[in-house]
């Protein structure tokens, strides 16, 4: 607020609210998805509306296309974070990739979840003690500093 001032902050908040609404509109236009809850202005969570569509598999397909989707469980869901870098073009490209990924999944029912989305897909069936150890190790691996080459 200090660097933007109140007017600048309100302008940025209105813009981010518009981005959030654009994501809501994009999700509502995809029959296989539904909003998990009414979003706030930070994240927009969604779940599968089709019994055959695994939301973790959709997140996995989107990850292969360059999108970083956040996944959760109970219920299985994925979310997109709203930020200043999103423009109508970015949201349109995201929606197109979601639709293309859903089509890929529909055409290839034997596809398997890969990448970071696989973590939540497996977490629901893993004993708690094992899950805690695996998640600690996974978090350590993701946040480890890489040696300078």
């Amino acid at each position: 607020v200090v660097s933007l001032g109140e007017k600048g902050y309100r302008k940025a908040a209105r813009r981010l609210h518009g981005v959030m609404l654009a994501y809501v509109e994009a999700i509502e236009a995809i029959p296989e998805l539904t909003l998990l809850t009414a979003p706030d202005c930070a994240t927009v969570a969604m779940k599968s509306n089709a019994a055959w569509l695994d939301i973790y598999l959709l997140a996995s397909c989107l990850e292969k296309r360059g999108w970083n989707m956040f996944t959760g469980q109970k219920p299985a869901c994925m979310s997109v974070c709203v930020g200043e870098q999103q423009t109508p073009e970015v949201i349109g490209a995201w929606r197109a990739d979601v639709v293309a990924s859903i089509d890929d999944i529909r055409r290839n029912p034997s596809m398997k979840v890969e990448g970071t989305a696989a973590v939540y897909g497996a977490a629901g069936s893993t004993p708690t003690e094992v899950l805690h150890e695996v998640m600690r190790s996974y978090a350590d691996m993701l946040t480890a500093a890489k040696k300078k080459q």
Side-chain angles (χ1 to χ4, degrees), residues 65 91-101:
R65 294 173 186 265
I91 297 166
W94 176 82
R95 184 187 181 286
D97 282 347
V98 169
V99 170
S101 295

PDB file of all heavy atoms in Angstrom, residues 65 91-101:
ATOM      1  N   ARG A  65       2.060 -29.111 -20.063  1.00  0.00           N
ATOM      2  CA  ARG A  65       1.875 -27.989 -20.986  1.00  0.00           C
ATOM      3  C   ARG A  65       2.429 -26.681 -20.418  1.00  0.00           C
ATOM      4  O   ARG A  65       2.246 -25.618 -20.995  1.00  0.00           O
ATOM      5  CB  ARG A  65       0.394 -27.830 -21.322  1.00  0.00           C
ATOM      6  CG  ARG A  65      -0.169 -28.991 -22.117  1.00  0.00           C
ATOM      7  CD  ARG A  65      -1.698 -28.833 -22.268  1.00  0.00           C
ATOM      8  NE  ARG A  65      -2.298 -29.989 -22.893  1.00  0.00           N
ATOM      9  CZ  ARG A  65      -2.554 -30.097 -24.184  1.00  0.00           C
ATOM     10  NH1 ARG A  65      -2.261 -29.111 -25.007  1.00  0.00           N
ATOM     11  NH2 ARG A  65      -3.112 -31.191 -24.664  1.00  0.00           N
ATOM     12  N   ILE A  91      -5.251 -16.194 -19.626  1.00  0.00           N
ATOM     13  CA  ILE A  91      -6.424 -16.963 -19.182  1.00  0.00           C
ATOM     14  C   ILE A  91      -7.019 -17.727 -20.361  1.00  0.00           C
ATOM     15  O   ILE A  91      -7.406 -18.887 -20.218  1.00  0.00           O
ATOM     16  CB  ILE A  91      -7.468 -16.029 -18.530  1.00  0.00           C
ATOM     17  CG1 ILE A  91      -6.856 -15.381 -17.279  1.00  0.00           C
ATOM     18  CG2 ILE A  91      -8.732 -16.808 -18.161  1.00  0.00           C
ATOM     19  CD1 ILE A  91      -7.642 -14.218 -16.735  1.00  0.00           C
ATOM     20  N   GLY A  92      -7.061 -17.133 -21.530  1.00  0.00           N
ATOM     21  CA  GLY A  92      -7.553 -17.820 -22.728  1.00  0.00           C
ATOM     22  C   GLY A  92      -6.681 -19.009 -23.090  1.00  0.00           C
ATOM     23  O   GLY A  92      -7.187 -20.084 -23.446  1.00  0.00           O
ATOM     24  N   ALA A  93      -5.370 -18.839 -22.994  1.00  0.00           N
ATOM     25  CA  ALA A  93      -4.448 -19.945 -23.283  1.00  0.00           C
ATOM     26  C   ALA A  93      -4.612 -21.061 -22.252  1.00  0.00           C
ATOM     27  O   ALA A  93      -4.593 -22.251 -22.604  1.00  0.00           O
ATOM     28  CB  ALA A  93      -3.008 -19.438 -23.301  1.00  0.00           C
ATOM     29  N   TRP A  94      -4.785 -20.700 -20.987  1.00  0.00           N
ATOM     30  CA  TRP A  94      -5.015 -21.694 -19.928  1.00  0.00           C
ATOM     31  C   TRP A  94      -6.293 -22.491 -20.211  1.00  0.00           C
ATOM     32  O   TRP A  94      -6.292 -23.704 -20.171  1.00  0.00           O
ATOM     33  CB  TRP A  94      -5.086 -21.001 -18.564  1.00  0.00           C
ATOM     34  CG  TRP A  94      -5.404 -21.940 -17.443  1.00  0.00           C
ATOM     35  CD1 TRP A  94      -4.529 -22.752 -16.780  1.00  0.00           C
ATOM     36  CD2 TRP A  94      -6.690 -22.184 -16.869  1.00  0.00           C
ATOM     37  NE1 TRP A  94      -5.203 -23.481 -15.820  1.00  0.00           N
ATOM     38  CE2 TRP A  94      -6.531 -23.150 -15.858  1.00  0.00           C
ATOM     39  CE3 TRP A  94      -7.970 -21.681 -17.114  1.00  0.00           C
ATOM     40  CZ2 TRP A  94      -7.586 -23.623 -15.092  1.00  0.00           C
ATOM     41  CZ3 TRP A  94      -9.029 -22.147 -16.346  1.00  0.00           C
ATOM     42  CH2 TRP A  94      -8.839 -23.104 -15.354  1.00  0.00           C
ATOM     43  N   ARG A  95      -7.367 -21.776 -20.533  1.00  0.00           N
ATOM     44  CA  ARG A  95      -8.641 -22.450 -20.822  1.00  0.00           C
ATOM     45  C   ARG A  95      -8.496 -23.398 -22.010  1.00  0.00           C
ATOM     46  O   ARG A  95      -8.974 -24.528 -21.983  1.00  0.00           O
ATOM     47  CB  ARG A  95      -9.743 -21.437 -21.091  1.00  0.00           C
ATOM     48  CG  ARG A  95     -11.102 -22.101 -21.306  1.00  0.00           C
ATOM     49  CD  ARG A  95     -12.162 -21.077 -21.751  1.00  0.00           C
ATOM     50  NE  ARG A  95     -13.447 -21.693 -21.921  1.00  0.00           N
ATOM     51  CZ  ARG A  95     -13.792 -22.486 -22.946  1.00  0.00           C
ATOM     52  NH1 ARG A  95     -12.905 -22.765 -23.881  1.00  0.00           N
ATOM     53  NH2 ARG A  95     -14.992 -23.003 -23.025  1.00  0.00           N
ATOM     54  N   ALA A  96      -7.820 -22.947 -23.062  1.00  0.00           N
ATOM     55  CA  ALA A  96      -7.619 -23.797 -24.243  1.00  0.00           C
ATOM     56  C   ALA A  96      -6.821 -25.049 -23.876  1.00  0.00           C
ATOM     57  O   ALA A  96      -7.138 -26.155 -24.340  1.00  0.00           O
ATOM     58  CB  ALA A  96      -6.905 -23.008 -25.340  1.00  0.00           C
ATOM     59  N   ASP A  97      -5.810 -24.901 -23.018  1.00  0.00           N
ATOM     60  CA  ASP A  97      -5.022 -26.057 -22.597  1.00  0.00           C
ATOM     61  C   ASP A  97      -5.828 -26.990 -21.699  1.00  0.00           C
ATOM     62  O   ASP A  97      -5.651 -28.212 -21.746  1.00  0.00           O
ATOM     63  CB  ASP A  97      -3.734 -25.609 -21.898  1.00  0.00           C
ATOM     64  CG  ASP A  97      -2.662 -25.162 -22.884  1.00  0.00           C
ATOM     65  OD1 ASP A  97      -2.812 -25.417 -24.107  1.00  0.00           O
ATOM     66  OD2 ASP A  97      -1.670 -24.556 -22.435  1.00  0.00           O
ATOM     67  N   VAL A  98      -6.714 -26.437 -20.881  1.00  0.00           N
ATOM     68  CA  VAL A  98      -7.588 -27.287 -20.058  1.00  0.00           C
ATOM     69  C   VAL A  98      -8.490 -28.120 -20.963  1.00  0.00           C
ATOM     70  O   VAL A  98      -8.602 -29.340 -20.797  1.00  0.00           O
ATOM     71  CB  VAL A  98      -8.437 -26.448 -19.074  1.00  0.00           C
ATOM     72  CG1 VAL A  98      -9.522 -27.298 -18.414  1.00  0.00           C
ATOM     73  CG2 VAL A  98      -7.554 -25.806 -18.010  1.00  0.00           C
ATOM     74  N   VAL A  99      -9.122 -27.482 -21.923  1.00  0.00           N
ATOM     75  CA  VAL A  99     -10.027 -28.189 -22.845  1.00  0.00           C
ATOM     76  C   VAL A  99      -9.249 -29.245 -23.640  1.00  0.00           C
ATOM     77  O   VAL A  99      -9.710 -30.391 -23.774  1.00  0.00           O
ATOM     78  CB  VAL A  99     -10.744 -27.184 -23.778  1.00  0.00           C
ATOM     79  CG1 VAL A  99     -11.488 -27.902 -24.900  1.00  0.00           C
ATOM     80  CG2 VAL A  99     -11.706 -26.316 -22.969  1.00  0.00           C
ATOM     81  N   ALA A 100      -8.071 -28.899 -24.140  1.00  0.00           N
ATOM     82  CA  ALA A 100      -7.255 -29.861 -24.897  1.00  0.00           C
ATOM     83  C   ALA A 100      -6.825 -31.025 -24.012  1.00  0.00           C
ATOM     84  O   ALA A 100      -6.823 -32.180 -24.452  1.00  0.00           O
ATOM     85  CB  ALA A 100      -6.030 -29.163 -25.487  1.00  0.00           C
ATOM     86  N   SER A 101      -6.479 -30.740 -22.763  1.00  0.00           N
ATOM     87  CA  SER A 101      -6.074 -31.803 -21.836  1.00  0.00           C
ATOM     88  C   SER A 101      -7.240 -32.732 -21.521  1.00  0.00           C
ATOM     89  O   SER A 101      -7.072 -33.954 -21.455  1.00  0.00           O
ATOM     90  CB  SER A 101      -5.521 -31.197 -20.544  1.00  0.00           C
ATOM     91  OG  SER A 101      -4.332 -30.483 -20.794  1.00  0.00           O
TER      92      SER A 101
END
